[in-house]
């Protein structure tokens, strides 16, 4: 354990026993599990079952490696809005390696990683932030004298589950944008033979990460994924369909410039570049910072950061979507999506095609905005 814990776990203790010793009532725990069930798209009635499963857990190991990245994802996860979710996941896991949080550095940190991999071989959850660079033998991302790709392969080989956190780990992010000088790729490009869960976004919402880990702990398997490896409970919803400015879009009320009267009124940002119509993410529902705000809520267009290759396919960020003939009425939203599916790059197009599947699996009311 590398995080100071004022309630150290006792040997062989289950989560249920641990929480009871900490004075957390079953009622509080059930409330958390019910909210988790809602967030996972399973409904609050799953709360008792989730509670039963989590209560039996005995501190599985998690190993978190940081590769070609900026640590923004770590910040996002550690600042999860709901302390009960963040606390539970961090408390429940034995976080045996996380170099941003641990005191050790240099050779001691490398030894800690080696020990953690060996001691928990076959059973740990591997969390990865950052991608790897393959060009020129991987010399663009070297850690302790080793290319990041070697570290990733070694860590993934003994993992029970692999979770790629953020756009860098998902597909390489800006490092992988054209012309991709370092040959950057995501975790799923390297790790084969086991599913890689992609928690998309730059950074992703921390609560989505912790909910995904909680799902793995509860059910012993990764959540249902979309065609791009993203958990459907979070990425099965399109921003445009949950955006509070959708009524302005439908009414043809658009911001033309960031300092105009329409911007002050909070109207739709489509004409100044919003990519919400082709972006799948729960941003309007979960939001950031204790559900204080999110990009569009703060008056900035969505740049599509949860979509693969968004630096190439969603730019110019402040320009309208390409190939869209018209907009302003309800039915046009689908025309927007269809036009992009034809005109945009393969990744975006492929995702638009699976929209129908995702919608079929996720009814709009499955995520309760009041409870999530
Ligand atoms: Fe940083 Fe974004 Fe990469 Fe996360 S996805 S490590 S926030 S650049
Ligand atoms: Fe919201 Fe953007 Fe859609 Fe406008 S275009 S309704 S700002 S998601
Ligand atoms: Fe990213 Fe758009 Fe959400 S830019 S944070 S997916 S609103």
């Amino acid at each position: 354990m590398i995080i100071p814990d004022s309630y150290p776990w006792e040997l062989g203790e289950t989560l249920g026993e641990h929480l009871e010793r900490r004075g957390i009532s079953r009622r509080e725990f059930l409330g958390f599990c019910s909210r988790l069930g809602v967030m996972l798209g399973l409904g609050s009635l799953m709360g008792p079952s989730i509670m039963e499963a989590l209560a039996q857990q005995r501190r599985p190991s998690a190993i978190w490696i940081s590769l070609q990245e900026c640590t923004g994802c770590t910040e996002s996860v550690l600042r999860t809005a709901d302390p009960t979710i963040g606390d539970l996941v961090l408390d429940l896991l034995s976080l045996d390696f996380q170099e941003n949080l641990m005191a050790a550095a240099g050779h001691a940190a490398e030894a800690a990683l080696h020990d953690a991999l060996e001691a928990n071989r076959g059973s740990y959850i591997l969390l990865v932030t950052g991608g790897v660079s393959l060009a020129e033998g991987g010399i663009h991302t070297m850690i302790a004298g080793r290319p990041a790709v070697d570290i990733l392969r070694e860590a993934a080989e003994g993992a029970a589950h692999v979770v790629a956190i953020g756009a860098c780990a998902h597909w390489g992010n800006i490092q992988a944008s054209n012309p991709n000088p370092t040959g950057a790729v995501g975790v799923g490009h390297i790790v084969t033979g086991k599913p890689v869960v992609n928690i998309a976004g730059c950074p992703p919402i921390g609560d989505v990460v912790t909910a995904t880990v909680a799902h793995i702990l509860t059910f012993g398997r990764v959540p249902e994924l979309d065609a791009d490896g993203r958990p459907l409970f979070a990425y099965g919803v399109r921003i445009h369909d949950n955006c509070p400015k959708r009524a302005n879009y439908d009414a043809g009320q658009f911001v033309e410039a960031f300092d105009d009267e329409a911007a002050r009124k909070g109207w739709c940002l489509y004409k100044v570049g919003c990519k919400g119509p082709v972006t799948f993410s729960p941003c309007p529902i979960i939001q950031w910072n204790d559900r204080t705000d999110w990009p569009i809520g703060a008056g900035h267009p969505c740049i599509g950061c949860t979509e693969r290759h968004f630096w190439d396919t969603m730019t110019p960020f402040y320009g309208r979507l390409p190939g869209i003939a018209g907009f302003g009425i309800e039915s046009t939203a689908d025309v927007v999506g269809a036009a992009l599916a034809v005109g945009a790059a393969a990744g975006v197009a492929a995702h638009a095609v699976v929209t129908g599947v995702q919608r079929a699996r996720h009814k709009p009311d499955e995520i309760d905005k009041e409870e999530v």
Side-chain angles (χ1 to χ4, degrees), residues 67-68 128 130-135 148-150 152-153 156 162-164 166-173 176 180 182-198 228-229 308-309:
L67 305 175
Q68 191 177 35
V128 187
V132 300
S133 47
L134 298 179
V149 65
D150 288 359
L152 175 60
R153 283 199 178 106
V162 180
V163 180
C168 296
H170 177 191
W171 56 272
N173 205 7
N180 193 359
T182 67
V185 297
V187 173
H189 188 90
I190 302 298
V191 177
T192 55
K194 58 187 76 174
V196 174
V197 183
N198 291 319
D228 199 21
R308 187 177 283 261
H309 299 301

Side-chain angles (χ1 to χ4, degrees), residues 128-165:
V128 187
T129 45
V132 300
S133 47
L134 298 179
E136 300 174 83
I139 62 166
H140 301 281
T141 314
M142 302 289 284
I143 302 169
R146 301 171 68 197
V149 65
D150 288 359
I151 296 169
L152 175 60
R153 283 199 178 106
E154 181 188 13
E157 194 265 327
H161 304 283
V162 180
V163 180
I165 301 172

Side-chain angles (χ1 to χ4, degrees), residues 4-78:
D5 189 349
S6 50
Y7 293 91
W9 283 60
E10 292 178 353
L11 197 63
E13 191 176 38
T14 64
L15 176 67
E17 293 163 349
H18 183 71
L19 293 180
E20 190 177 339
R21 194 162 55 79
R22 290 176 64 162
I24 296 174
S25 69
R26 281 180 61 83
R27 183 188 175 92
E28 289 174 289
F29 188 31
L30 177 60
F32 160 73
C33 293
S34 298
R35 290 197 300 279
L36 186 61
V38 172
M39 181 179 279
L40 291 171
L42 304 171
S44 59
L45 293 179
M46 280 295 288
S49 302
I50 293 173
M51 184 172 82
E52 187 70 23
L54 284 180
Q56 303 305 318
Q57 295 286 331
R58 283 191 169 83
R59 278 210 114 182
S61 169
I63 294 173
W64 183 326
I65 58 173
S66 307
L67 305 175
Q68 191 177 35
E69 53 112 321
C70 80
T71 71
C73 288
T74 305
E75 287 282 328
S76 183
V77 174
L78 294 182

